Amino acid sequence: MSRRPGVPELVERARGGEQLAVARLISLVEDGADAALREVAAALGPHTGHAHVVGVTGPPGVGKSTTASAVVRLLRAQGRKVGVLAVDPSSPFSGGALLGDRVRMGEHAADDGVFIRSMATRGHLGGLAWATPQALRVLDAAGCDVVLVETVGVGQSEVEVVALADTTVVLLAPGMGDGVQAAKAGILEIADVFAVNKADRDGAAQTVRDLRQMLAFGERGAEDAWRPPVVRTVAARAEGVDELVAALDAHRDWLDRGGERARRRRARAEAEIEAIALEQHRNRIGDLRGAVGLTQLAERVLAGEIDPYGAADELTARLGGRAL
Ligand code: GDP
């Protein structure tokens, strides 16, 4: 029987670029066991901060997987190491037939400079917020120069992933009423780069014009402000992908020049600490509900003896006397 390697050994092997070690570490953080999360985070900490994290988002069918694959191909040709993390916040399954696998099963399967993983959050409260930053750290420590984070679906998940990315690409396609949709979803504000994919189809020029018009409308004055470029791509034929990658690199350089990257990373670290602390408090209240008299407090609220705010204050005071 082979021995199960511990976290420090897995981290060493992941840093050496070993695919299996990277996969195991990501599975560990995805499982979400508190002790494992702590151990992985502690071991990875000193080895992160290098990767350029690029969020890729847009409506289903717009070409995210196809684009990700074409971008990976180009980055590999340039000699860069790449990670792809496909996140499905709604699916209870993981490691299976998700988006990332469509990329994984293709041309990059045998390339040891490409790390591809799908993750689902299994309905954990704040699951995406927990596991995704850790998985990004694993890929970062494994030496990825660029990590693409791809989301399935719409809405909240996009916003969460954006909060994790240094640079966010929003994909649109002609003829889907995307311009209007995008504006509605607040996508215009989150995009650092736009790609109008399926530019081989009718209406691409119109979509580009619409977007540029909307962007010009919202433009603010500052001389050194970033103005999101609109790139036309035909991902299925790898057209426009070099322009797209150049736009991603330009945005990274802009982030570095003005100190914006450091600011974004600090804000992310703050949000992460806050999320972890909130989760710990929630768990603690759950664990100690008997000891701190949560049920009695509830009875008193129902009896009108105390209001819920007063009860919460009392709960906090009682928790305060107990170590984590
Ligand atoms: P996702 O759901 O956003 O990941 O979209 P996919 O990458 O799976 O692409 C959805 C469909 O659009 C697939 O059938 C692709 O082959 C097709 N597709 C992707 N890019 C292009 C493109 O540039 N032009 C055209 N005509 N089809 C494309």
Side-chain angles (χ1 to χ4, degrees), residues 307-318:
D307 67 72
Y309 288 88
D313 289 344
E314 215 166 293
L315 181 67
T316 304
R318 290 179 193 176

Side-chain angles (χ1 to χ4, degrees), residues 195-212:
V196 174
N197 189 40
K198 306 194 182 183
D200 52 329
R201 293 204 174 157
D202 285 349
Q206 187 60 45
T207 303
V208 170
R209 259 198 307 276
D210 289 350
L211 255 178
R212 292 212 167 114

Side-chain angles (χ1 to χ4, degrees), residues 59-66 99 102 197-198 200-201 233-236:
V62 74
K64 292 184 293 296
S65 291
T66 315
L99 196 88
R102 306 211 306 256
N197 189 40
K198 306 194 182 183
D200 52 329
R201 293 204 174 157
T233 56
V234 184

